[in-house]
Every structure is written in C-alpha cells, then in structure tokens.
Amino acid sequence: MNQREVHRGIPPLFTQLPLVQDSLLTETTKLQNETVDKCLPFLRGSQTSQNETLNRFGLPALKRDEHIAFLYDSLEDYPGSFVGLDASRPWLIYWALTGLTLLGEDASKFRYRVTSTLNPMQNPTGGFGGGHGQMSHCASSYAAVLSLAMVGGEEAFQLIDRKAMWRWLGRLKQGDGGFRVCEGGEEDVRGAYCAMVIISLLDLPLTLPLESEARQYGLESFTSGLSEYLARCQTFEGGISGSPGAEAHGAYAFCALACLCILGKPDTTISGRVRGTDQ
C-alpha cells in the first residue's frame, strides 16, 4: 500500500475544507492558529520527515519513548503559570500514571510520592479535594483513588479513610437516585459514575449511612433509584445528558453507560434502561 492509498483516520471535513475562522484576531486566536498549523500535517497523514512511515490509517507511529519521557516529566515540578490547575492536582497525577501504565511502565515506583502528595488532600470528613485545604469533590476523589490503585501496595490503600469516604458519599446521595459532585454542588451523571467507581474499588458497603438525607425519600442503598435516574438523563435524540432535561453530551454518555455497567451485567443494565439498545 503506497502513501496515496492509505486509509485516512481523520475525516476530510477536518483536513480539506477551509477552516472556519473568526475575523477578529486576538493573541489567543493567533496561538490557536499556530497550533492548528502544527497539528494538521499529522491529521492529514502527511509525512513530517523522510524517515517517518505512516500506519494503515495514514498517521505517524506512536513515539513511545518520547511519550514516556513527557509523562515522567509531567510528574515533576510545574512552573508558576500552572497555578490555575491547582484544583486539578489529583487529575494531573492520574493522567500521567494512566499513560505510563498503558505504555508498560511500572507505576509502583511512584508509590511514596503519590501517597505523600495525596495524603494532605484527604479531608477528615471524607473524600479528596483538588489541592491542599480544598473541599472534597467526586472528581478529585475519583482521580486520587484510581492513582492510589495504580501505584498499589498496602500503604496506598491504607491511606484512604474508608469509613469517612462512605459517610461523605452518603451525604452526596440524592433522593431522586442521583449524586451531587460535592456537598452543595450540582447533581449529574459525573457524580454518579465517580461515586460508584470509588465504592466498587474500595469495596464500601452499599447500604447508605443512617444519617444520609436520601433515606428520608425511602432509599436504603447507594444503588437505590440510580439506574432510573440515569435513564431519565437520556434525551429525545437518543444521547445522554448530565442531568434530566439537559443537552446530550458524549462525556456524559460515557459516565452514564459506565455507571450502568458497574451496577450489573451490561446486557441487562443498559438494555433495560437505555432506549434503542435492544434494536
């Protein structure tokens, strides 16, 4: 198969048509255009050097060693300009460890550093915040727990206050079956998915704590009313939204479907709740 016959992995819509650009030029749009110019050769499947070959999708092969070096570097210190991501510190750890694990690297070598970094982010009332002194959030707790699971070891799991986590998640459970992402925060499928991942990984009791507000609505477990809540998030066009009545979104669809898979066998939980899956 020669260069002109390769099957392109990127639709022509993104590589051949004139790009839609705003006539107003700002520093941000200039940087964006520069980024597009750098990425388009890869998206079009054109070679960037004489020695580089393309795969059957017309894309350059993954530069594994360079990716590993980048991910190792991303676990080191960040410059001051990254202060805006202070609330995403567990995510930065999780993303780097996930990439390294997928590339065959041993994440356990970071066990001490990960546990030392995440320990101050755990709140006595349960859950992990995005940074030191920040309130607990389902997303940051999800990233923290998965990061600890990847580095493994007894000390990593012993770091987590399972009882406090269970009680905190109980306070997030809502009377309509869903979960808030944090105390006083929004209720959506992200909270449901993150909560069920944490409960599953830590093998927490499914029974709601006695003080959980959701018990006032007749719910007794974390799974009570959850599949029904997720089903109500499916929109008229077939997609799944973050909450009932909102706009469908691919990321929310992932959260909802993954959550249903945690609740039971997919052929039962998904086909029983999501319209159109039995066709």
Side-chain angles (χ1 to χ4, degrees), residues 72 75 97 100 106-115 151:
Y72 273 122
L75 288 169
L97 290 179
L100 289 170
D106 180 15
S108 65
K109 67 179 72 174
F110 296 103
R111 183 178 301 141
Y112 175 76
R113 291 179 59 195
V114 170
T115 54
V151 298

Side-chain angles (χ1 to χ4, degrees), residues 82-90 92 121 129-132 134:
F82 277 79
V83 67
L85 290 176
D86 183 57
S88 299
R89 293 182 68 190
L92 297 173
M121 300 182 194
H132 300 170
Q134 297 178 18

Side-chain angles (χ1 to χ4, degrees), residues 117-134:
T117 300
L118 293 177
N119 186 37
M121 300 182 194
Q122 183 172 210
N123 290 306
T125 52
F128 291 81
H132 300 170
Q134 297 178 18

